[in-house]
Amino acid sequence: MQSIIQPLEPQQRELCGKQTIKLRHNLAGNDLFSDDSLAKLIETAAPKSLAMHTEGGHDPSNWPVVARGDAPGARVLDAARHGKLWINLVGITEWDSRFAELADQVFAEFANQVPGLDVVKHKLGVLISSPKATVHYHVDIPGQAIWQLRGRKRFMIFPASEPFLKPVELEAAVRSATYGVASYQPWYDDYAEVHDLEPGDALHWPLNGPHRIENFDELSVSLTSEHWTPDIRRTYAMNYGNGLLRRYGWTPRSRAVSGPAFWTKVGLTAAYRRSGLQNKLGYQRIPTFVVDPDGPNGVRPLA
């Protein structure tokens, strides 16, 4: 079996998870990411696993949500190729065994190359986005990497600290109260790491590093990976607990991931999630457009 990740440099192994590392992979050209395969994935994905948006301002949580309607997968790709669509096949490892096997291989290879890496959970997604489409400034919650397969894009990564990332915004994203929203100022770009990705490039960046993306003039297809380690889970619980405290009128005083206060937040987080309130109060995707390859931006308003 051909390896996916090309050998890392010694310094990359040491820096993985602490600094941004750019590596090479062998997935570009894989039949899993051909037009025919992508079209079938779009057609077979359940609505909750097919997140589609068209651009609409600088707040990704307000981007219009797009339904597939009865458009065949090939027509959805046509709309993406000629319009302004952002398509995310979410958690594909949970409903396609080929991608589950791919994820297992990717993280087994990471574990072999990165000393001490302890991944306890992982998943993959597939991103398809239009030429010159943008992904505005936002933050993701688990450990993240992007694997460029088709097309080129510019990836800009920012420090995961103030002023680039405010604790209150990170906490809201962790609780799914927003769609990863983080405040952005144009001068932030002066402090960004800028990486131009081509097919065969991959990028892994530090936890919760805000980022924004600009596609070049071609359809882009990327694989995304997310992973959880014990340390990432502890950071998640701390941010979630702090967000709950803030929501109910308390100002958090600590971002520690150990000690009595931390374990109180762990219990608070677990109780809140079990209550179902996150699902009731969290960000919801409600379609207002439907795919139409002949419409402006590849969509039309939903009747």
Side-chain angles (χ1 to χ4, degrees):
M1 181 183 297
Q2 184 186 28
S3 63
I4 294 172
I5 303 172
Q6 296 183 15
L8 301 179
E9 299 292 336
Q11 62 269 29
Q12 291 179 310
R13 300 182 185 190
E14 293 293 327
L15 293 173
C16 187
K18 305 177 185 70
Q19 300 288 332
T20 303
I21 62 169
K22 188 175 183 180
L23 51 127
R24 293 288 295 173
H25 65 83
N26 297 314
L27 289 172
N30 190 304
D31 286 343
L32 282 176
F33 308 105
S34 67
D35 275 5
D36 286 345
S37 178
L38 294 175
K40 290 175 183 176
L41 289 170
I42 290 169
E43 290 174 3
T44 56
K48 68 177 183 179
S49 300
L50 181 62
M52 295 197 293
H53 296 260
T54 188
E55 293 191 27
H58 290 281
D59 180 348
S61 64
N62 289 331
W63 283 7
V65 178
V66 180
R68 179 169 74 89
D70 57 3
R75 291 286 282 166
V76 176
L77 288 178
D78 285 343
R81 190 171 280 110
H82 302 295
K84 284 288 184 183
L85 270 182
W86 184 88
I87 303 167
N88 188 4
L89 291 158
V90 180
I92 198 168
T93 43
E94 298 171 358
W95 49 275
D96 190 309
S97 60
R98 299 171 301 171
F99 285 90
E101 293 171 2
L102 183 64
D104 288 342
Q105 185 181 348
V106 165
F107 285 97
E109 291 185 18
F110 257 129
N112 286 335
Q113 295 206 51
V114 179
L117 181 64
D118 181 16
V119 173
V120 296
K121 185 179 179 181
H122 59 252
K123 65 172 64 174
L124 300 179
V126 174
L127 286 174
I128 306 164
S129 49
S130 298
K132 295 188 177 179
T134 60
V135 177
H136 292 299
Y137 194 79
H138 72 287
V139 60
D140 293 316
I141 306 309
Q144 293 278 324
I146 188 166
W147 312 72
Q148 193 63 16
L149 304 162
R150 297 168 55 182
R152 297 175 301 134
K153 61 178 52 182
R154 175 161 292 170
F155 209 96
M156 304 179 71
I157 303 171
F158 302 79
S161 58
E162 293 192 88
F164 306 99
L165 180 61
K166 299 172 178 60
V168 64
E169 293 177 335
L170 176 58
E171 294 158 9
V174 166
R175 294 190 301 107
S176 299
T178 70
Y179 201 56
V181 174
S183 300
Y184 169 75
Q185 298 291 334
W187 62 263
Y188 288 3
D189 287 1
D190 295 337
Y191 300 87
E193 296 179 26
V194 181
H195 300 272
D196 288 346
L197 302 182
E198 298 185 352
D201 286 335
L203 206 62
H204 174 53
W205 59 97
L207 183 67
N208 304 144
H211 49 282
R212 66 184 193 87
I213 306 167
E214 299 173 351
N215 284 358
F216 289 93
D217 193 13
E218 52 206 316
L219 184 77
S220 174
V221 180
S222 311
L223 188 72
T224 62
S225 63
E226 66 175 57
H227 66 275
W228 296 86
T229 67
D231 286 345
I232 292 174
R233 281 182 163 176
R234 292 166 80 91
T235 302
Y236 171 88
M238 175 273 295
N239 281 311
Y240 205 118
N242 280 356
L244 289 177
L245 291 174
R246 203 183 299 274
R247 172 177 171 79
Y248 292 106
W250 293 80
T251 300
R253 296 182 178 181
S254 171
R255 295 182 58 79
V257 291
S258 62
F262 166 72
W263 288 109
T264 299
K265 294 171 188 176
V266 171
L268 186 63
T269 296
Y272 189 84
R273 288 173 60 87
R274 282 197 302 268
S275 73
L277 285 172
Q278 174 172 298
N279 292 334
K280 292 178 182 179
L281 301 177
Y283 170 81
Q284 303 289 330
R285 290 202 313 265
I286 301 174
T288 54
F289 286 80
V290 67
V291 170
D292 181 356
D294 300 320
N297 290 337
V299 300
R300 58 179 167 79
L302 196 60

